[in-house]
C-alpha cells in the first residue's frame, strides 16, 4: 500500500483531498488495482517487443533438441520431414578423442535416395557433410569434430521430396572444433597436403566399398591460435571413363586428415576409381585408387565346382 500511495501521489494532480480519495479507492479495490497494473505492464512490453505472427513447428523430435526447429529450417526449409528408424546413425558410446569421432550414416533401407546430409545440432558449425547419390549407395562413414555433447543426425532425401531423418545422441566432453590441427606441429606439413591413400573392396551385391584418407589439416577457423578455416569442400567420384558416381561436400567439422568410406557402383571391368577434390583455398587434388582384385563375376552355385582338368 505504501508503494501504491507514493506512485499515485506522483501521477495524480489535484488537491490533497483528491489524492486521499485515490488512495482509498486503491485500498478498497486491490483486485482492480492489480488488474490495472497488469494491463499497463503488457502495454509497455508490447511497445518494445515484436511478437511473431507465426512460429515454425518443432516437430516430434525424439531427442527433444532445443535446436531442432532451427535445424529443420536451415537444412529442409518447407520440405516435408519425417523421423525414420530406417536411417541409421552410428556413433561410439564413449568418445576418447573429440577431434576424431567416427560417425556412420546408412540409409540403404530406403528406396530412391537422392541425397544424404549429416549434421550435429549443437556444434558451432552444424553442417558436416552432404553425399550426392548418383550411382552409389546412401552410405557414408567419416570422422568429425564435436565441441560438446550433441544430437547427430543423418537426413536422406527420397525421390518424392520427403526428408527421412535418423538421430542419435552423442555424449562427448567436447573441445574438438576449437582444437588446432596436429599436422601444423610438423615443419613440412604443407608438403604432404592432398596426399591420399586408399583401397577398394568388392561387395557381394556388386557395389564397391572405397575407403581412403586424404592428408589435410581441415581447420575450422575456431582454434585458439586464430588459424583461418582451411578445409576440403568438394570430392567427386568417377570411373576411369569419366562417369560420375557420387559427390561429397565436406565442411569444417570433418576431422583432420579425413578418413572416408563410400559405396559406389564401379563397373566390373574398371581398373580404378578417380577422386577429384578442391579445398576452400582453390587447391585442386587428384587421386586414383586402383582396383587390384581379380576381375571376375560371381557365378552361381552350379558353376562353382571345377573338374580336375580345369585350371584356376
Amino acid at each position: 500500500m505504501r508503494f501504491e500511495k507514493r506512485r499515485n501521489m506522483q501521477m495524480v494532480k489535484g488537491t490533497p483531498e483528491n489524492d486521499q480519495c485515490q488512495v482509498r479507492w486503491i485500498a478498497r479495490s486491490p483486485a482492480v488495482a492489480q488488474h490495472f497494473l497488469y494491463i499497463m505492464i503488457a502495454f509497455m512490453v508490447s511497445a518494445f517487443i515484436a511478437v511473431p505472427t507465426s512460429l515454425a513447428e518443432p516437430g516430434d523430435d525424439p531427442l527433444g533438441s532445443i535446436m531442432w526447429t532451427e535445424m529443420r529450417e536451415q537444412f529442409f526449409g518447407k520440405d516435408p520431414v519425417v523421423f525414420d528408424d530406417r536411417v541409421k546413425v552410428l556413433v561410439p558410446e564413449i568418445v576418447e578423442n573429440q577431434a576424431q569421432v567416427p560417425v556412420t550414416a546408412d540409409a540403404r533401407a530406403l528406396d530412391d535416395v537422392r541425397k544424404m546430409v549429416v549434421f550435429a545440432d549443437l556444434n558451432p558449425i552444424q553442417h558436416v557433410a552432404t553425399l550426392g547419390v548418383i550411382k552409389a549407395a546412401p552410405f557414408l562413414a567419416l570422422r568429425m569434430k564435436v565441441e560438446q555433447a550433441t544430437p547427430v543426425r543423418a537426413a536422406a532425401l527420397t525421390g518424392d521430396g520427403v526428408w527421412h531423418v535418423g538421430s542419435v545422441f552423442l555424449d562427448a566432453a567436447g573441445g574438438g572444433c576449437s582444437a588446432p590441427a596436429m599436422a601444423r606441429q610438423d615443419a613440412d606439413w604443407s608438403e604432404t597436403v592432398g596426399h591420399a591413400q586408399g583401397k577398394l573392396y568388392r561387395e557381394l551385391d556388386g557395389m564397391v566399398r572405397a575407403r581412403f584418407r586424404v592428408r589435410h589439416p581441415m581447420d575450422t577457423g575456431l582454434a585458439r591460435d586464430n588459424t583461418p578455416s582451411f578445409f576440403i569442400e568438394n570430392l567427386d567420384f568417377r570411373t576411369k571413363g569419366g562417369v560420375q558416381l557420387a559427390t561429397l561436400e565436406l565442411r569444417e567439422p570433418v576431422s583432420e586428415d579425413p578418413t572416408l568410406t563410400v559405396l559406389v557402383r564401379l563397373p566390373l571391368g574398371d581398373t580404378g576409381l578417380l577422386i577429384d577434390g578442391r579445398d576452400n583455398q582453390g587447391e585442386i587434388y587428384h587421386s586414383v585408387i586402383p582396383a587390384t582384385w581379380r576381375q571376375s563375376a560371381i557365378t552361381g552355385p552350379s558353376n562353382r565346382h571345377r573338374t580336375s582338368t580345369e585350371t584356376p
Side-chain angles (χ1 to χ4, degrees):
M1 292 301 299
R2 186 176 305 169
F3 171 76
E4 293 176 350
K5 180 178 180 181
R6 185 180 303 116
R7 178 172 180 176
N8 282 280
M9 290 293 289
Q10 294 175 355
M11 294 181 62
V12 179
K13 294 183 179 181
T15 63
E17 290 77 13
N18 290 337
D19 295 335
Q20 292 175 2
C21 292
Q22 180 72 6
V23 173
R24 284 197 301 270
W25 182 82
I26 294 178
R28 293 175 181 176
S29 306
V32 176
Q34 187 179 15
H35 182 69
F36 179 76
L37 180 61
Y38 289 160
I39 294 176
M40 291 298 297
I41 293 176
F43 177 78
M44 295 173 63
V45 171
S46 63
F48 295 97
I49 300 178
V51 180
T53 57
S54 62
L55 297 176
E57 297 181 0
D60 189 18
D61 179 18
L63 301 182
S65 171
I66 61 174
M67 293 294 292
W68 168 245
T69 299
E70 183 176 339
M71 295 298 96
R72 178 173 181 170
E73 293 177 354
Q74 176 180 341
F75 292 103
F76 314 128
K78 297 182 179 179
D79 295 342
V81 180
V82 296
F83 290 100
D84 197 328
D85 292 337
R86 291 175 294 177
V87 180
K88 305 296 183 182
V89 184
L90 304 178
V91 298
E93 293 184 0
I94 300 176
V95 175
E96 299 179 353
N97 185 351
Q98 290 77 21
Q100 294 282 344
V101 181
V103 176
T104 300
D106 187 354
R108 287 177 291 177
L110 297 176
D111 296 327
D112 194 23
V113 175
R114 307 293 179 87
K115 181 167 62 173
M116 187 168 64
V117 180
V118 179
F119 59 95
D121 290 21
L122 300 181
N123 254 10
I125 303 173
Q126 292 92 3
H127 189 188
V128 179
T130 298
L131 175 68
V133 180
I134 303 172
K135 293 184 177 181
F139 177 93
L140 176 64
L142 48 77
R143 296 181 181 182
M144 63 173 289
K145 316 179 190 82
V146 294
E147 192 65 16
Q148 61 178 326
T150 177
V152 178
R153 308 183 193 267
L157 177 64
T158 50
D160 57 0
V162 178
W163 287 96
H164 301 257
V165 181
S167 308
V168 67
F169 186 79
L170 175 66
D171 191 3
C177 293
S178 56
M182 298 295 294
R184 294 187 179 277
Q185 299 178 6
D186 301 329
D188 61 344
W189 70 270
S190 60
E191 298 178 5
T192 61
V193 171
H195 290 194
Q197 59 183 128
K199 192 171 182 179
L200 303 180
Y201 304 87
R202 176 71 69 175
E203 302 286 321
L204 290 177
D205 60 358
M207 303 295 288
V208 170
R209 182 181 299 267
R211 181 174 174 83
F212 61 100
R213 183 184 70 170
V214 184
R215 296 294 303 272
H216 203 282
M218 299 297 289
D219 295 307
T220 62
L222 304 175
R224 293 181 295 272
D225 59 3
N226 293 323
T227 301
S229 62
F230 180 42
F231 60 95
I232 298 174
E233 59 182 7
N234 282 304
L235 293 174
D236 188 65
F237 303 87
R238 296 179 180 269
T239 68
K240 277 292 191 69
V243 178
Q244 191 176 43
L245 303 176
T247 61
L248 184 57
E249 177 187 355
L250 304 179
R251 304 299 299 176
E252 296 94 321
V254 175
S255 297
E256 176 183 1
D257 297 340
T259 301
L260 308 166
T261 301
V262 296
L263 293 172
V264 296
R265 192 168 296 281
L266 189 69
L268 186 62
D270 215 309
T271 58
L273 177 66
L274 304 182
I275 305 176
D276 293 320
R278 185 186 72 247
D279 63 30
N280 67 326
Q281 302 296 328
E283 293 293 333
I284 304 297
Y285 307 102
H286 179 76
S287 300
V288 179
I289 304 179
T292 57
W293 60 76
R294 179 183 177 185
Q295 297 292 322
S296 60
I298 298 177
T299 58
S302 60
N303 297 327
R304 289 182 179 177
H305 302 285
R306 295 188 301 267
T307 64
S308 58
T309 59
E310 290 180 298
T311 58

